[in-house]
Amino acid sequence: MVRTAVTRRRPLCSVHPDDKERLNEILNDFKSSARAVQPAAHRLKPRTPIVIASSIRGFSCWLYEQKKQGIVVRPHDRSLDEDAELYRSTRKRKRITGHLAYLRNFMLGTSAPELSRPRLAAYPDDETLIQKAVAAAKADIVNGTPWQGFRTPPDINRVASRLRGFSEWLKTHAKSAIAGRLDDPSLQEDRETYLRVKDSSRAAT
C-alpha cells in the first residue's frame, strides 16, 4: 500500500473586524504610493511594501486572536505600541515595529513612504492634538478661511512634522507632552532648548 503525503495548509487567519473595512484600502494605497515615490532612488525595494503590508495584516490577525483592539481604531495609541512589542517578542516578528511606523506615517498623510523616511514618534496625546489641528486647518483652507501662515496643505504638514519632532524630543528627554501644558511657561522653555539643540546639531554637520 502506497501512502501519499498530505500537506495541510495552515488556515489563513482573519484580519481583525476593527480593521476589515479600512486596512486593505490603506495598505493598497500604501503600496501604490510607495511605487510612485520620486526620485526613484528614494523608493523602497519593490517587494518591501508587499512585505510590510503582509506583516501588518499578520499583526492585525494576532490582535484578533488575542481579543485586543485592532490597528485602525487606535493607530497612534500607546497601547498599540505595547501590543506590537508583545507580538514582536512572542512571535519573533522583529520588524513589526518598523513596519507599523511606516503605516502610521503614511496614515498621517504627510507624504508617500520613502526609503529614508524619518519616523517621528510623538506622544499619543500630542499626536491626537496635532491630527485635530491639521484636520481643522485643512478644513478652513477648503472653506476659504485659512489660518495665518497656513495657506496650503504643505504648510500645515511641515508644521505638523515639526511638532511631532518636538514631541518626540520631549519624550526621549523624559519631559511632559505638549498636550496638557499649552499655557505652561515650561513648554516655551523646552521649545527654546529644543531649537538650540537643533541649531547646534546643524552647525556641527
Side-chain angles (χ1 to χ4, degrees), residues 42-58:
H42 287 181
R43 290 178 195 163
L44 298 168
K45 292 180 180 179
R47 277 194 54 78
T48 300
I50 298 171
V51 170
I52 292 172
S54 177
S55 173
I56 294 296
R57 288 192 181 97

Side-chain angles (χ1 to χ4, degrees), residues 100-198:
L100 189 59
Y102 270 111
L103 178 69
R104 283 169 156 167
N105 283 338
F106 180 69
M107 289 177 71
L108 293 174
T110 51
S111 67
E114 296 183 15
L115 182 64
S116 57
R117 181 79 180 275
R119 296 172 181 174
L120 303 180
Y123 273 111
D125 287 349
D126 289 347
E127 187 57 55
T128 299
L129 185 68
I130 292 166
Q131 285 191 64
K132 287 181 179 178
V134 166
K138 288 183 177 179
D140 282 348
I141 288 176
V142 173
N143 294 333
T145 55
W147 300 2
Q148 186 175 358
F150 299 89
R151 296 196 170 276
T152 67
D155 292 335
I156 297 168
N157 292 337
R158 277 192 294 273
V159 173
S161 180
R162 290 172 193 155
L163 286 171
R164 290 187 184 102
F166 179 37
S167 179
E168 180 186 48
W169 181 85
L170 291 171
K171 185 164 64 172
T172 57
H173 287 77
K175 295 177 179 288
S176 299
I178 298 169
R181 58 174 184 142
L182 291 173
D183 298 321
D184 191 322
S186 68
L187 184 62
Q188 180 61 28
E189 293 170 4
D190 286 342
R191 178 178 176 274
E192 290 171 359
T193 302
Y194 169 66
L195 293 176
R196 281 199 302 272
V197 170
K198 283 191 67 176

